[in-house]
Amino acid sequence: MTRVEPKRDDRIRQSIRLDKQLWDGIDRVRSERPGNISRNTWITEAVLEKLQRDVANAHPGRVADA
């Protein structure tokens, strides 16, 4: 019998405090996307986009580690 290794989760949890207007804006944009996207997924995508932009601006030709 093959032993199944448990899935390793290397993610780190972090709380975030945002103004209500910012949460409302995030929720408004999320609701306009097809499907049901979580706040966590939307914020993760936004952070990745910002990281990629900043790395590209600071180091043209380099790709951000994600």
Side-chain angles (χ1 to χ4, degrees):
M1 180 180 268
T2 304
R3 184 173 159 201
V4 177
E5 294 293 326
K7 186 175 179 182
R8 186 172 157 188
D9 189 351
D10 290 336
R11 296 177 296 179
I12 298 171
R13 293 185 177 270
Q14 175 68 46
S15 296
I16 184 170
R17 286 181 286 254
L18 300 172
D19 291 333
K20 182 179 181 340
Q21 295 84 357
L22 191 50
W23 281 123
D24 291 345
I26 290 169
D27 290 342
R28 189 170 35 269
V29 172
R30 285 179 36 233
S31 71
E32 294 170 0
R33 279 183 55 177
N36 185 13
I37 182 170
S38 70
R39 279 183 180 159
N40 185 74
T41 297
W42 191 93
I43 291 169
T44 300
E45 290 174 352
V47 169
L48 285 171
E49 286 178 22
K50 173 69 169 144
L51 178 61
Q52 290 169 346
R53 242 188 350 261
D54 285 0
V55 168
N57 289 336
H59 308 282
R62 184 172 164 196
V63 177
D65 296 329

